[in-house]
Amino acid sequence: MSEDHIRKEALDYHRLPTAGKISLAPTKALTTQHDLSLAYSPGVAYACTAIQEDPLLAAELTSRANLVAVITNGTAVLGLGNIGALASKPVMEGKGCLFKKFAGIDVFDIEVAETDPAKFVEVVAALEPTFGGINLEDIKAPECFYIEKELRKRMKIPVFHDDQHGTAIVTAAAVTNALQLVGKQIEDVRLVASGAGAAALACLNLLISMGLKRENVLLCDSRGVVYKGRDNVDESKAGYARDTHLRTLSEAIVEADIFLGLSKGGALKPEMLEQMAANPVILAMANPEPEIRPELAKQVRPDCMIGTGRSDYPNQVNNSLCFPFIFRGALDVGATEINEAMKVAAVKALAAIAQAETSEIVAQAYGEPTPPFGPDYLIPRAFDPRLITQISPAVAQAAMDTGVATKPISDMKAYRNQLSQFVYESSSPMQPVFLAAMNNPKRVIYAEGEDERVLRAAQVAVDEGLAQPLLIGRTDIISSRIERLGLRLREGVHYESVNVLDDPRYHEVWSEYYELCKRQGVTKEQAKEETRTRTTLIGCMLLQRGDADALLCGTTGHYAEHLGYVRKVIGRASGVNTFAELQMIVLSDRQLFICDTQVNDNPSAEQIAEIAILAADEVSRFGIVPSVALLSRSSFGSAEVASAQKMRDALTIIKLRRPDLEVDGEMRADQALSASIRERDFPDSTLTSNANVLVMPNVDAANITYNALRVVSSGVTMGGILLGAAKSVHIMSSSSTVRRIVNMTALASVDATAHGVLAE
């Protein structure tokens, strides 16, 4: 992908459909005059005076306890350097997104146009009444050391410079596990650091607090070894100046056990690596090019263990593994600071997750089994749901143990359960699907290959390695539209075309269609005509023949027509009696799957049961534990109507067939979606978490609910997901966006893999 293309795509991403990556939303209804009187005057005065009398009530009456400031002056932004406060705003917004996505923490990003450290401190310190915590970001060294130190002195809330401490915590976890694997003790090892910036020094400081001996550390900067007597060594480095004759990295690294790299690409030469001690640990974290590439390091030293800052290699040292969860734990106990004990607790929790047996959801999230604890799996992956359930409680406990918690947690087990609930309500549902698709991309047919949205989606699918597209249409039209849209797709290289005007398979395909459907009223002439003009039929036949692995259709035309060809040609999966459509919608705090939105007008109890089981199995592909609610206007027998009885009967059938499935009903939608309402109305419900799969009594209820939610919530949607087919085929809609087609491409590819496994 060219840099110009990436630049345009990135700018469009930030610009459309709404400028920026974040927005604010009220948490209280403001629908009546009474609401207004409570939210503002006169009711708000009672909240103000309550806080005036007891400042701790701010945590109960305002959003402060869940609000973090991501603050920078833009002097050291990513790999861009000193680009200034305004230009840093996209990065700060992105950091806010990570806080919200991974830990449910709200963020104000604040870009301060002030490079004088003392003045910057004054600005930030004055903001303390607004926030529960301060995340300093992208501030250059050595000013960042002074700024954090002064703010920690003055503020009674956590102040955390993530560039330093986030990197240090993940690095320390990797070192902890690597040393355990090779049987070395931290107090015995020698470490050489290449790079003496904020992150490198924070890594060294934390490792020393965990037992590394200062005298066993050699620090190198751009001028070589930092030694006693060297001129122009600033205060931050001086603590690591050694009385040594060594002057270069190549000299310092001889017999070193650990290489800590936070400097520049290629700094660690193969000949240097050869001089290290047995079983060396290499953390080459320069970005985007590490100090040494893992494949080269393994070639020179097969006995080494290596981590980088890159996502395309094992052992990625990534700050997102810790900072959201550290703040989550600190905020939840009202910590006044993030101290050394809390950081060490985070290190130990992070290291323990990698050592623990992996859960099924982790494997689903990456489309492949997570490696066992070992040289290629020293630290967890970023989407491991155990990060929040292990790190946050460990940090909270350390805060309580060290006396910096103002709101101690009395029931840690309940707290862990609360965090676990958050994982399943706010995790990124498409991430597992995308990772699985990239791990095993399949040949996906696009029935409407001339559609501009489809062509743009095919380009993304190729760029991201999600699938190998087969485009049905007139090849000249497809080629001209690719050129007009400025896409980089090349026939025979990036995609295969299926020419409806002159494809060599035409005779075979219409003949096979005729043989398949001649007892269903299809004549030879009809077979010839339909096979020339109905692209969904062509796609179904190619899929049935094995010329592709999956099919997407439906961006034009009527749903019933598309489904008709699927029924005739593909048919239902073995043991399945019902087709159904599942739609996904991602809301601000959860994702919901709704069915059946298209196929069965008034399904029977038997069909409802089968639809619910099929939907639950499909939801599991997203790395989500399904919680199924059978919806009705009736609530647990409150109304004796036929539709309610149908849902009760369906529950009985499901319980017999799938006793492992979490399902309950019949119930109202509000009970399914709210634990408090469910507990109040029917405390004996078997749902242990809010429902994420809503099975409706008829197609009208499902379709109306889905479309209403889709419009009023502006949530991300994906569908339609066809349940029950013998092969991976899905029918979308005319309103499908490029992003939805891309999402469905990934799902179709993953479903194709699943169908292949079932076939075997």
Side-chain angles (χ1 to χ4, degrees), residues 653-709:
I653 297 169
I654 296 169
K655 290 290 189 182
L656 287 172
R657 293 183 184 172
R658 287 289 298 275
D660 61 305
L661 191 60
E662 180 168 305
V663 57
D664 207 352
E666 86 285 12
M667 65 173 66
R668 298 194 315 265
D670 58 344
Q671 295 167 330
L673 298 174
S674 170
S676 60
I677 294 175
R678 198 163 55 250
E679 179 66 23
R680 181 197 67 199
D681 294 350
F682 195 75
D684 293 330
S685 172
T686 57
L687 293 187
T688 61
S689 60
N690 289 333
N692 49 34
V693 180
L694 306 181
V695 182
M696 305 289 181
N698 57 59
V699 75
D700 284 345
N703 195 285
I704 291 167
T705 300
Y706 165 69
N707 281 297
L709 280 175

Side-chain angles (χ1 to χ4, degrees), residues 160 308 515 639:
F160 188 80
T308 70
E515 290 298 322

Side-chain angles (χ1 to χ4, degrees), residues 73 112-126 146-147 151 154:
N73 60 7
V112 182
E114 180 55 73
T115 57
D116 182 289
K119 292 180 180 178
F120 185 87
V121 167
E122 292 297 329
V123 171
V124 177
Y146 167 82
I147 288 170
L151 288 174
R154 294 178 56 169

Side-chain angles (χ1 to χ4, degrees), residues 39-120:
Y40 203 55
S41 182
V44 71
Y46 297 105
C48 293
T49 54
I51 294 171
Q52 183 184 26
E53 293 167 3
D54 181 1
L56 292 179
L57 287 177
E60 299 177 21
L61 302 177
T62 75
S63 63
R64 183 176 186 260
N66 195 53
L67 185 61
V68 166
V70 173
I71 301 182
T72 189
N73 60 7
T75 53
V77 180
L78 296 177
L80 303 174
N82 187 354
I83 62 174
L86 181 60
S88 74
K89 188 171 178 64
V91 178
M92 301 309 117
E93 286 189 356
K95 192 66 174 278
C97 290
L98 295 180
F99 267 110
K100 187 67 175 177
K101 175 57 66 177
F102 287 119
I105 295 171
D106 295 319
V107 164
F108 288 165
D109 63 287
I110 299 178
E111 294 75 32
V112 182
E114 180 55 73
T115 57
D116 182 289
K119 292 180 180 178
F120 185 87

Side-chain angles (χ1 to χ4, degrees), residues 76 247 319 562:
R247 294 294 181 265
N319 293 5
H562 295 290

Side-chain angles (χ1 to χ4, degrees), residues 342-353:
M342 294 161 74
K343 288 186 280 185
V344 171
V347 172
K348 292 180 178 178
L350 194 56
I353 293 169

